[in-house]
Amino acid sequence: MIPMTVVLVHRDDHERAQLRAALEGLPGVQIAGERDDLRAGLALAHQARPGILILDMAPPVEEVLNGASQYKLDHPDCAVFLATETYDPEMLLRALRAGAQEVLRRPLDRGALREAVERAGRLAAKKNGGAGSSTRSVITAFCNKGGSGVSTTAANLAISLKRLTAREVALADLDYQSGDAAFMLGLSPTKSLGDILGAARIDSASVQDALIKHPCGLHVLSQPDHLERVDGIKPEQVASVLDILQSTFDLVVVDAPHVFNEITLEIFDRSSTILLMTEPSIPSVRAARRSLEIFQKLNFLVSPDRVRLIVNRRGEQSAISVAQIEETLGMAVFGTITNDYLAVSTAINVGKPLCSENNDSRAGRDINALARKLVPSQTLEEPVEPVPAKRSRLRLFGKG
Ligand SMILES: Nc1ncnc2c1ncn2[C@@H]1O[C@H](COP(=O)(O)OP(=O)(O)OP(=O)(O)O)[C@@H](O)[C@H]1O
Ligand SMILES: [Mg+2]
């Protein structure tokens, strides 16, 4: 979630303190200021331009509604939340007319508040989407069936995005059950998510400290060698780590666990794109159909480009064609990756990713094409290669 600033206006000190405490407990939320009176609060908001303005419906209610609707006219991108004791259809209608996005009931329900803030964050992220170079994306590779090429795709896509864009890219291996993204890239996880969980707190310092760097400049958050170190990882912890990565990197690629649970839901909520991986086989397409049913229930299919279907191991001999997959799933295939056993296994065995320099495999080309399609405005024609630090140092010594 992008950082979200809040201005809080509430006449009641106790209620205000409670709201503040609840908001401060949410990842990415910053209180830009608080006031106990409407006029002062609106003045502050005009200055601070928060992402969310919370107004208490203190009598005279008319004044609050007028203030809210005027503020919304001046700052249409701000999400206005109205806090109220009376919660009836007439009041809801008036709040809606005043341009409120959410109505918070008393007593405070922290879960409802968190959801409201997340909705506002998602909406803000969507409005900011396509805003050019400032666009930040979280691209999550997922399959509810193991062994479908999630790690291969996530790891190589991250390398490809790093090489094809001039951006800061991170690969987050959040598959706490398997955890082999670093291995796919020929890296040994000297540091990992285990270190973040072992740190006193999850903050940008502990996350930064746990990243390892691939020679191409990609940052990798790996799973630990011993998966017991992340046993019992909580959804909130995964959420905080991802929030921090998202605020630090332009592009974050996630290798997601192969289940629908609270952890994957936190990941999906933060993903601008979910790559649903499938293979041209009947069990695989059936699994994809089950995922799509769940995504439908979770409202992830409302925006047409949030979930993208990827067919891995495409081949001449496949049991099912791409057209048949599209027909069965009722969704267009966004990208395909060739079945390329030799290239994929060699890449892993020699620790040289498919999408590295001079690796001209079919599967690697397919993943590069996928990268270009995912962030078309950010990819450059020619890959951007980092200056190899070792060689330049040698040259420097040679000169001296
Ligand atoms: N396009 C491909 N062509 C040939 N082999 C592939 C391809 N993609 C993946 N593989 C192979 O399939 C196996 C599973 O791939 P991968 O580990 O990427 O899948 P996963 O979904 O992450 O599985 P896991 O359940 O282990 O997390 C690996 O041995 C990999 O080398
Ligand atoms: Mg995997």
Side-chain angles (χ1 to χ4, degrees), residues 332-366:
V333 167
F334 183 74
T336 63
I337 303 164
T338 308
N339 188 18
D340 198 345
Y341 175 78
L342 191 65
V344 173
S345 51
T346 311
I348 296 173
N349 290 339
V350 302
K352 191 158 186 276
L354 289 173
C355 294
S356 340
E357 205 180 354
N358 303 331
N359 190 340
D360 195 27
S361 64
R362 284 170 302 166
R365 279 202 299 269
D366 293 339

Short mmCIF file of all heavy atoms in Angstrom, two decimals, residues 332-366:
data_model
loop_
_atom_site.label_atom_id
_atom_site.label_comp_id
_atom_site.label_asym_id
_atom_site.label_seq_id
_atom_site.Cartn_x
_atom_site.Cartn_y
_atom_site.Cartn_z
N ALA A 332 -8.57 -14.11 -21.49
CA ALA A 332 -7.50 -14.11 -22.48
C ALA A 332 -6.17 -14.45 -21.81
O ALA A 332 -5.94 -14.09 -20.65
CB ALA A 332 -7.40 -12.74 -23.12
N VAL A 333 -5.32 -15.17 -22.52
CA VAL A 333 -3.98 -15.46 -22.00
C VAL A 333 -3.11 -14.23 -22.25
O VAL A 333 -3.05 -13.71 -23.36
CB VAL A 333 -3.41 -16.72 -22.69
CG1 VAL A 333 -1.92 -16.87 -22.41
CG2 VAL A 333 -4.16 -17.97 -22.21
N PHE A 334 -2.45 -13.76 -21.19
CA PHE A 334 -1.66 -12.53 -21.30
C PHE A 334 -0.25 -12.80 -21.82
O PHE A 334 0.33 -12.01 -22.54
CB PHE A 334 -1.59 -11.88 -19.92
CG PHE A 334 -0.88 -10.56 -19.88
CD1 PHE A 334 -1.48 -9.43 -20.38
CD2 PHE A 334 0.39 -10.45 -19.33
CE1 PHE A 334 -0.84 -8.20 -20.36
CE2 PHE A 334 1.05 -9.24 -19.28
CZ PHE A 334 0.43 -8.11 -19.80
N GLY A 335 0.27 -13.97 -21.42
CA GLY A 335 1.62 -14.31 -21.86
C GLY A 335 1.84 -15.81 -21.80
O GLY A 335 1.14 -16.52 -21.06
N THR A 336 2.80 -16.28 -22.58
CA THR A 336 3.11 -17.71 -22.53
C THR A 336 4.63 -17.87 -22.40
O THR A 336 5.40 -17.01 -22.84
CB THR A 336 2.65 -18.46 -23.80
OG1 THR A 336 3.37 -17.94 -24.92
CG2 THR A 336 1.16 -18.31 -24.05
N ILE A 337 5.03 -18.97 -21.77
CA ILE A 337 6.46 -19.28 -21.63
C ILE A 337 6.67 -20.69 -22.19
O ILE A 337 5.98 -21.64 -21.78
CB ILE A 337 6.91 -19.21 -20.15
CG1 ILE A 337 6.59 -17.80 -19.58
CG2 ILE A 337 8.40 -19.52 -20.02
CD1 ILE A 337 6.63 -17.73 -18.07
N THR A 338 7.58 -20.78 -23.12
CA THR A 338 7.83 -22.05 -23.80
C THR A 338 8.33 -23.12 -22.84
O THR A 338 9.10 -22.83 -21.92
CB THR A 338 8.89 -21.83 -24.91
OG1 THR A 338 8.46 -20.74 -25.70
CG2 THR A 338 9.08 -23.06 -25.78
N ASN A 339 7.92 -24.36 -23.10
CA ASN A 339 8.46 -25.49 -22.36
C ASN A 339 9.90 -25.68 -22.84
O ASN A 339 10.13 -26.00 -24.00
CB ASN A 339 7.62 -26.73 -22.66
CG ASN A 339 8.02 -27.89 -21.78
OD1 ASN A 339 8.66 -27.69 -20.76
ND2 ASN A 339 7.66 -29.09 -22.19
N ASP A 340 10.84 -25.44 -21.99
CA ASP A 340 12.23 -25.36 -22.41
C ASP A 340 13.07 -26.02 -21.32
O ASP A 340 13.79 -25.36 -20.56
CB ASP A 340 12.58 -23.86 -22.56
CG ASP A 340 13.83 -23.63 -23.38
OD1 ASP A 340 14.59 -24.60 -23.60
OD2 ASP A 340 14.04 -22.47 -23.79
N TYR A 341 12.93 -27.33 -21.20
CA TYR A 341 13.52 -28.06 -20.09
C TYR A 341 15.02 -27.80 -19.97
O TYR A 341 15.54 -27.49 -18.90
CB TYR A 341 13.25 -29.57 -20.21
CG TYR A 341 13.94 -30.35 -19.15
CD1 TYR A 341 13.43 -30.39 -17.85
CD2 TYR A 341 15.14 -31.01 -19.42
CE1 TYR A 341 14.09 -31.06 -16.85
CE2 TYR A 341 15.81 -31.69 -18.41
CZ TYR A 341 15.28 -31.71 -17.13
OH TYR A 341 15.95 -32.37 -16.13
N LEU A 342 15.71 -27.90 -21.12
CA LEU A 342 17.16 -27.80 -21.09
C LEU A 342 17.60 -26.43 -20.56
O LEU A 342 18.43 -26.33 -19.66
CB LEU A 342 17.71 -28.04 -22.51
CG LEU A 342 19.22 -28.20 -22.56
CD1 LEU A 342 19.64 -29.47 -21.82
CD2 LEU A 342 19.69 -28.24 -24.02
N ALA A 343 16.98 -25.39 -21.14
CA ALA A 343 17.39 -24.04 -20.74
C ALA A 343 17.07 -23.79 -19.27
O ALA A 343 17.90 -23.25 -18.52
CB ALA A 343 16.68 -23.01 -21.62
N VAL A 344 15.86 -24.20 -18.85
CA VAL A 344 15.45 -23.92 -17.47
C VAL A 344 16.33 -24.69 -16.48
O VAL A 344 16.83 -24.13 -15.50
CB VAL A 344 13.94 -24.24 -17.26
CG1 VAL A 344 13.55 -24.13 -15.79
CG2 VAL A 344 13.07 -23.32 -18.10
N SER A 345 16.58 -25.96 -16.77
CA SER A 345 17.38 -26.72 -15.80
C SER A 345 18.84 -26.29 -15.84
O SER A 345 19.49 -26.20 -14.79
CB SER A 345 17.22 -28.23 -16.01
OG SER A 345 17.45 -28.54 -17.35
N THR A 346 19.36 -25.95 -17.03
CA THR A 346 20.76 -25.49 -17.07
C THR A 346 20.90 -24.18 -16.30
O THR A 346 21.87 -24.00 -15.55
CB THR A 346 21.21 -25.27 -18.54
OG1 THR A 346 20.87 -26.43 -19.29
CG2 THR A 346 22.69 -25.01 -18.64
N ALA A 347 19.93 -23.29 -16.50
CA ALA A 347 20.00 -21.99 -15.82
C ALA A 347 20.12 -22.20 -14.31
O ALA A 347 20.92 -21.55 -13.64
CB ALA A 347 18.76 -21.15 -16.14
N ILE A 348 19.32 -23.13 -13.79
CA ILE A 348 19.35 -23.38 -12.34
C ILE A 348 20.67 -24.05 -11.94
O ILE A 348 21.33 -23.64 -11.00
CB ILE A 348 18.15 -24.24 -11.90
CG1 ILE A 348 16.85 -23.46 -12.16
CG2 ILE A 348 18.25 -24.61 -10.42
CD1 ILE A 348 15.60 -24.25 -11.94
N ASN A 349 21.06 -25.05 -12.73
CA ASN A 349 22.27 -25.79 -12.38
C ASN A 349 23.52 -24.93 -12.40
O ASN A 349 24.40 -25.10 -11.55
CB ASN A 349 22.45 -27.00 -13.30
CG ASN A 349 21.39 -28.05 -13.02
OD1 ASN A 349 20.80 -28.06 -11.94
ND2 ASN A 349 21.11 -28.90 -14.00
N VAL A 350 23.63 -24.02 -13.35
CA VAL A 350 24.84 -23.20 -13.39
C VAL A 350 24.64 -21.86 -12.68
O VAL A 350 25.55 -21.04 -12.61
CB VAL A 350 25.39 -22.98 -14.83
CG1 VAL A 350 25.69 -24.29 -15.51
CG2 VAL A 350 24.42 -22.16 -15.66
N GLY A 351 23.42 -21.64 -12.14
CA GLY A 351 23.16 -20.41 -11.39
C GLY A 351 23.18 -19.18 -12.26
O GLY A 351 23.51 -18.09 -11.82
N LYS A 352 22.83 -19.33 -13.53
CA LYS A 352 22.80 -18.17 -14.43
C LYS A 352 21.36 -18.05 -14.96
O LYS A 352 20.93 -18.89 -15.76
CB LYS A 352 23.78 -18.39 -15.58
CG LYS A 352 24.03 -17.17 -16.40
CD LYS A 352 25.36 -17.28 -17.15
CE LYS A 352 25.71 -16.00 -17.88
NZ LYS A 352 25.08 -15.89 -19.18
N PRO A 353 20.63 -17.05 -14.47
CA PRO A 353 19.20 -16.98 -14.81
C PRO A 353 18.93 -16.96 -16.32
O PRO A 353 19.78 -16.54 -17.11
CB PRO A 353 18.76 -15.66 -14.19
CG PRO A 353 19.81 -15.30 -13.21
CD PRO A 353 21.06 -15.97 -13.60
N LEU A 354 17.73 -17.40 -16.66
CA LEU A 354 17.30 -17.42 -18.07
C LEU A 354 17.38 -16.04 -18.70
O LEU A 354 17.65 -15.90 -19.88
CB LEU A 354 15.82 -17.84 -18.15
CG LEU A 354 15.46 -19.27 -17.85
CD1 LEU A 354 13.95 -19.40 -17.81
CD2 LEU A 354 16.04 -20.17 -18.93
N CYS A 355 17.08 -15.04 -17.89
CA CYS A 355 17.02 -13.69 -18.46
C CYS A 355 18.32 -12.92 -18.27
O CYS A 355 18.33 -11.69 -18.31
CB CYS A 355 15.83 -12.93 -17.87
SG CYS A 355 14.27 -13.68 -18.38
N SER A 356 19.43 -13.61 -18.08
CA SER A 356 20.70 -12.89 -17.98
C SER A 356 21.17 -12.51 -19.37
O SER A 356 20.67 -13.00 -20.37
CB SER A 356 21.82 -13.71 -17.37
OG SER A 356 21.38 -14.77 -16.64
N GLU A 357 22.21 -11.69 -19.34
CA GLU A 357 22.88 -11.27 -20.56
C GLU A 357 23.37 -12.53 -21.29
O GLU A 357 23.81 -13.49 -20.64
CB GLU A 357 24.09 -10.46 -20.11
CG GLU A 357 24.59 -9.47 -21.09
CD GLU A 357 25.80 -8.75 -20.50
OE1 GLU A 357 26.11 -8.98 -19.32
OE2 GLU A 357 26.41 -8.00 -21.23
N ASN A 358 23.31 -12.53 -22.60
CA ASN A 358 23.82 -13.63 -23.43
C ASN A 358 23.15 -14.98 -23.19
O ASN A 358 23.72 -16.00 -23.48
CB ASN A 358 25.33 -13.86 -23.22
CG ASN A 358 26.12 -12.62 -23.51
OD1 ASN A 358 25.68 -11.82 -24.34
ND2 ASN A 358 27.21 -12.45 -22.83
N ASN A 359 21.98 -14.97 -22.58
CA ASN A 359 21.28 -16.25 -22.42
C ASN A 359 20.07 -16.19 -23.34
O ASN A 359 19.04 -15.63 -23.01
CB ASN A 359 20.85 -16.46 -20.96
CG ASN A 359 20.35 -17.88 -20.74
OD1 ASN A 359 19.98 -18.57 -21.69
ND2 ASN A 359 20.35 -18.33 -19.50
N ASP A 360 20.24 -16.74 -24.51
CA ASP A 360 19.21 -16.52 -25.52
C ASP A 360 18.30 -17.74 -25.66
O ASP A 360 18.15 -18.29 -26.73
CB ASP A 360 19.90 -16.18 -26.86
CG ASP A 360 18.88 -15.59 -27.83
OD1 ASP A 360 17.91 -15.00 -27.34
OD2 ASP A 360 19.08 -15.75 -29.05
N SER A 361 17.68 -18.14 -24.56
CA SER A 361 16.79 -19.30 -24.63
C SER A 361 15.38 -18.84 -25.01
O SER A 361 15.04 -17.67 -24.85
CB SER A 361 16.76 -19.99 -23.28
OG SER A 361 16.19 -19.11 -22.33
N ARG A 362 14.58 -19.80 -25.47
CA ARG A 362 13.20 -19.44 -25.82
C ARG A 362 12.44 -18.98 -24.59
O ARG A 362 11.73 -17.98 -24.60
CB ARG A 362 12.50 -20.63 -26.48
CG ARG A 362 12.94 -20.86 -27.92
CD ARG A 362 12.40 -22.17 -28.41
NE ARG A 362 12.86 -23.27 -27.57
CZ ARG A 362 12.37 -24.50 -27.56
NH1 ARG A 362 11.38 -24.81 -28.36
NH2 ARG A 362 12.84 -25.44 -26.76
N ALA A 363 12.60 -19.74 -23.48
CA ALA A 363 11.87 -19.38 -22.25
C ALA A 363 12.30 -18.00 -21.76
O ALA A 363 11.47 -17.19 -21.33
CB ALA A 363 12.11 -20.43 -21.18
N GLY A 364 13.60 -17.71 -21.86
CA GLY A 364 14.11 -16.41 -21.44
C GLY A 364 13.52 -15.28 -22.29
O GLY A 364 13.12 -14.24 -21.78
N ARG A 365 13.45 -15.52 -23.60
CA ARG A 365 12.88 -14.50 -24.50
C ARG A 365 11.40 -14.26 -24.15
O ARG A 365 10.92 -13.13 -24.15
CB ARG A 365 12.99 -14.96 -25.95
CG ARG A 365 14.37 -14.71 -26.55
CD ARG A 365 14.30 -14.67 -28.08
NE ARG A 365 13.84 -15.91 -28.67
CZ ARG A 365 14.63 -16.93 -29.05
NH1 ARG A 365 15.94 -16.83 -28.90
NH2 ARG A 365 14.14 -18.02 -29.59
N ASP A 366 10.70 -15.35 -23.83
CA ASP A 366 9.28 -15.22 -23.48
C ASP A 366 9.10 -14.38 -22.21
O ASP A 366 8.18 -13.58 -22.11
CB ASP A 366 8.65 -16.61 -23.26
CG ASP A 366 8.57 -17.41 -24.56
OD1 ASP A 366 8.62 -16.79 -25.65
OD2 ASP A 366 8.47 -18.66 -24.48
#
